[in-house]
Amino acid sequence: MARLNFLKLAASWCFLLGLSRAHGGHDQAPLPDDADWATRHMAEEHHIGNFDPGAFFSLHDFDSSGAWTADEILRTYGLESEENKDVLPERRNEVVREIMRLLDSNGDGKVEREEWMQFNKNGGKLPDLGLGPGHHGDDEYEYEIHHFEKYHDENTREEDLIHPEDIAHFKKHDMEADEEERQMKLDAMPVVEQNIPAKFRRSG
């Protein structure tokens, strides 16, 4: 178990250091007070300060289909994240309806790239729906973007990871590693026929 946990930790550590270098450290230009929701989202969630409408669309076209579906709209607004898990279905539906009302000009239930580009050409902006900046990465990405990159860097040592967020993050890694090892042991156990209820045993 110790070796498996160490390998998990090492993999996570390499991932974090790689992302930290890729994002270029802690420096980020402050946002103007009147920044729209999409600009704040790109800065806080992706650490990107300079983008065009086409890049924004592609980044949030998660299945690369050329259109935003209802699920992708919810994900963009962070409604698939842990922090918004308690948002009621009615509110989720309201979010989709509002975005479709603004963008789905042909009424086919999705937002095509052309519709998005025309919306921007007309001066349209995605509304702030009061759901936060729109966290939609996996746990590893969210930890790196919203904690590791803010408080640590490529010079951080393992013994420096003492913040509550660090402890919770790597505790989760340990729990996942323990569960993986438990499952591996179960998979390796031989099936003892006498332990199977008679009605489920093979006949003959």
Side-chain angles (χ1 to χ4, degrees):
M1 181 174 70
R3 176 171 174 76
L4 186 58
N5 286 357
F6 172 79
L7 291 175
K8 283 272 189 177
L9 179 63
S12 178
W13 187 245
C14 291
F15 175 83
L16 291 172
L17 291 181
L19 281 179
S20 180
R21 294 190 182 103
H23 285 124
H26 302 168
D27 296 335
Q28 188 173 343
L31 291 171
D33 292 338
D34 60 349
D36 62 279
W37 183 85
T39 299
R40 291 189 177 280
H41 168 78
M42 291 293 279
E44 294 184 31
E45 178 65 8
H46 300 287
H47 289 194
I48 296 174
N50 186 22
F51 63 94
D52 59 27
F56 186 94
F57 184 90
S58 296
L59 187 61
H60 298 92
D61 179 15
F62 299 106
D63 63 1
S64 301
S65 66
W68 290 348
T69 62
D71 287 343
E72 287 172 316
I73 290 169
L74 292 175
R75 184 175 174 186
T76 296
Y77 271 91
L79 285 165
E80 302 300 326
S81 69
E82 183 69 18
E83 68 186 66
N84 283 323
K85 65 180 181 180
D86 296 325
V87 174
L88 296 175
E90 293 81 0
R91 179 62 177 138
R92 296 170 184 269
N93 292 336
E94 288 175 2
V95 169
V96 172
R97 284 197 300 269
E98 176 63 11
I99 300 305
M100 291 298 181
R101 182 187 69 78
L102 292 171
L103 291 165
D104 183 19
S105 57
N106 65 10
D108 65 353
K110 55 188 176 182
V111 179
E112 282 93 357
R113 184 183 182 89
E114 293 75 15
E115 292 173 320
W116 167 253
M117 298 301 286
Q118 187 62 48
F119 175 74
N120 279 268
K121 185 177 180 180
N122 294 340
K125 301 289 184 184
L126 285 179
D128 184 343
L129 298 175
L131 298 164
H135 300 324
H136 53 63
D138 60 22
D139 290 344
E140 202 72 45
Y141 180 83
E142 293 295 335
Y143 167 73
E144 193 278 334
I145 283 290
H146 301 297
H147 180 76
F148 189 91
E149 189 171 305
K150 185 175 181 179
Y151 297 105
H152 308 300
D153 58 27
E154 64 270 19
N155 298 313
T156 299
R157 300 165 301 174
E158 183 179 342
E159 54 266 32
D160 297 328
L161 299 174
I162 58 175
H163 297 162
E165 294 85 351
D166 301 320
I167 294 169
H169 179 77
F170 288 104
K171 181 180 179 181
K172 182 176 180 181
H173 272 284
D174 285 342
M175 292 173 63
E176 290 173 348
D178 289 344
E179 177 59 25
E180 184 176 334
E181 184 176 22
R182 187 188 72 83
Q183 187 60 50
M184 289 170 60
K185 287 180 178 178
L186 287 175
D187 292 343
M189 290 176 62
V191 176
V192 180
E193 187 172 354
Q194 287 76 8
N195 293 336
I196 303 175
K199 63 180 180 179
F200 295 117
R201 296 180 194 172
R202 295 178 183 175
S203 57

